[in-house]
Amino acid sequence: MDSVADARLHVLFFPLMAQGHLIPIIDTARLFAMRGVKVTILTTPLNRPHISPIVQRDRNFGVEIGIQQIRFPSVEVGLPENCENASSISDPEMLLKFLKAINMLQQPFEEILQEQRPDCVVADMFFPWATDVAGKFGIPRIVFHGSSFFSLCVQDSLSRYKPHANIASDLEAFVVPCIPDQIEMTSSQLPDDLQDPNNIGEFHKSIWNSDERCYGTLMNSFYELEPAYAEHYRKAMGRKAWHIGPVSFSNMDFTEKAQKRGNRAAIDEHECLRWLDSKEPNSVLFVCFGSMPRFNSTQLREIAMGLEDSGHPFIWAVLRKAEEEPWLPDGFEERMEGKGLLVRGWAPQVLILEHPSVGGFVTHCGWNSTFESISAGVPMITWPLFAEQFINEKLVTMVLKIGIAVGIKTWSLFSEGKELVKRDAITKAVTSLMDSGEEAEQMRSKVGELKESARRAVEKGGSSYADLTALIEDLRLHKRSAV
Ligand code: UDP
């Protein structure tokens, strides 16, 4: 029998209950399990069904992942009983309740750690208290942000130097100080808890504070994508970090790509691929704004008309609640027969992006979507909405130069008060990207190179493969020294 120090390393993963966090953390957990690490994913009862089929399929291939449940206090905070995932949140009041419920997980999380005693906890940024709770048991806590080095560097600069403090208006540009590139932003593009420089939000502060004290950061990125920022994060900001992405590459075959990604697709995947097979290479635009429904009918109609006017074939995934009012222009679906494929609900995004007919992606710049697009070699039209998406847009359009901005100016979490993008602006962006001008071709070629770098990064000997090896070795050493 092995001694305690030599026993298998056990890592507990604790993702936020939101598809944009669950999906990459599950992919990450699988990468650890494939390297022989004992892995447990901690989640709530209603999020378990998103994970169970993945775990079941992996088990058939000899990869063992455990699931541990933690009760979500929806009713105690005044949320509906079935609300355990951020995709069900539709207004600011619900959001506050959701955040309150998340905070209430601290005590049960502590009890689980006491019982399980893993060797390491990879906990989402949304659980800043996880650093101290894990610390009580001498367990290293690694934070998972689900964003890029670039984004963390920009946010650090904004919190530290407050460049927006002396700016006259929300729309006046300022330069983000002390980062490797000259990046301009406006206050209106910042997450609301960063917008007021004199009062950086408490939540943001607690996340930052917890990050500074935790064992390190796990990044779904690869070194060659943003080397200057990987260096800046480690050297100038002094943080320990491991880049192990693209974690979506852990899904190898059709079934994994089709069925392992969050929800069940609202379209038959084979039908979707057949439709794409019938189109020319790089001719189709994929339009999808992540896992949270965020547009009102007026905006959806403008998108429909903008796409129609552009004349390019498209697949458009639209998440709407069933009871919402009609939103398609009259006769749209008939006119778009054969030209446009509407997915009413969850689309098999990774499968679509990887199809050679897809030549552009209209994205809200959630990091997973952005990174999946890069990993598939697809240039983007950027349409950021909330979270750190405006920062991701800067990475795409100003640093990597692999996308065209649709021109959104203002951060907004819910559809109320959201800036309306008119059909003309949409058509213009689509035409610029899809009509093979010189600039578009340069973007296509650049993102194609990044796709190849991404593939090399996760192969044996690649930078992400090596960093995952280094992290697992680091944790093994830590475990031995802790005995
Ligand atoms: N996604 C998908 N189909 C959809 C919508 C989203 O597969 O119809 C996946 C997408 O591939 C990505 C994740 O959901 O992995 C969304 O994460 P992202 O960070 O882009 O945005 P968020 O939903 O967190 O705003």
Side-chain angles (χ1 to χ4, degrees), residues 68-88:
Q68 163 98 32
Q69 273 186 201
I70 187 165
R71 202 180 71 78
F72 194 74
S74 349
V75 178
E76 285 94 318
V77 297
L79 285 170
E81 223 173 12
N82 61 357
C83 178
E84 292 189 3
N85 189 295
S87 58
S88 315

Side-chain angles (χ1 to χ4, degrees), residues 19-21 23-24 261 288-292 317 319 345-350 364-370 372 386 389:
Q19 298 314 68
H21 293 243
I23 292 172
R261 314 277 310 155
C288 182
F289 295 92
S291 61
M292 314 216 201
L319 287 178
W346 196 256
Q349 176 162 308
V350 169
H364 71 312
C365 301
W367 179 242
N368 297 296
S369 295
T370 306
E372 286 160 15
F386 58 94
Q389 294 157 12

Side-chain angles (χ1 to χ4, degrees), residues 8-20:
R8 225 167 131 210
L9 188 72
H10 179 199
V11 181
L12 182 98
F13 290 83
F14 189 19
L16 178 73
M17 306 80 189
Q19 298 314 68

Side-chain angles (χ1 to χ4, degrees), residues 10-11 22 68 76 95 126 138 149 175 183 187 206 238 283 289 307 314 337 355 405 449 453 483:
H10 179 199
V11 181
L22 277 166
Q68 163 98 32
E76 285 94 318
L95 177 65
F126 274 87
F149 282 109
V175 174
I183 301 294
S187 292
S206 64
S283 68
F289 295 92
L307 290 175
F314 60 85
E337 177 86 50
H355 194 284
E449 286 164 19
S453 304
V483 172

Side-chain angles (χ1 to χ4, degrees), residues 16-17 41 90 110 141 149 229 293 356 360 400 403 413 435:
L16 178 73
M17 306 80 189
I41 300 175
S90 51
E110 183 164 340
R141 184 263 175 133
F149 282 109
Y229 293 91
L400 302 173
L413 187 51
D435 276 1

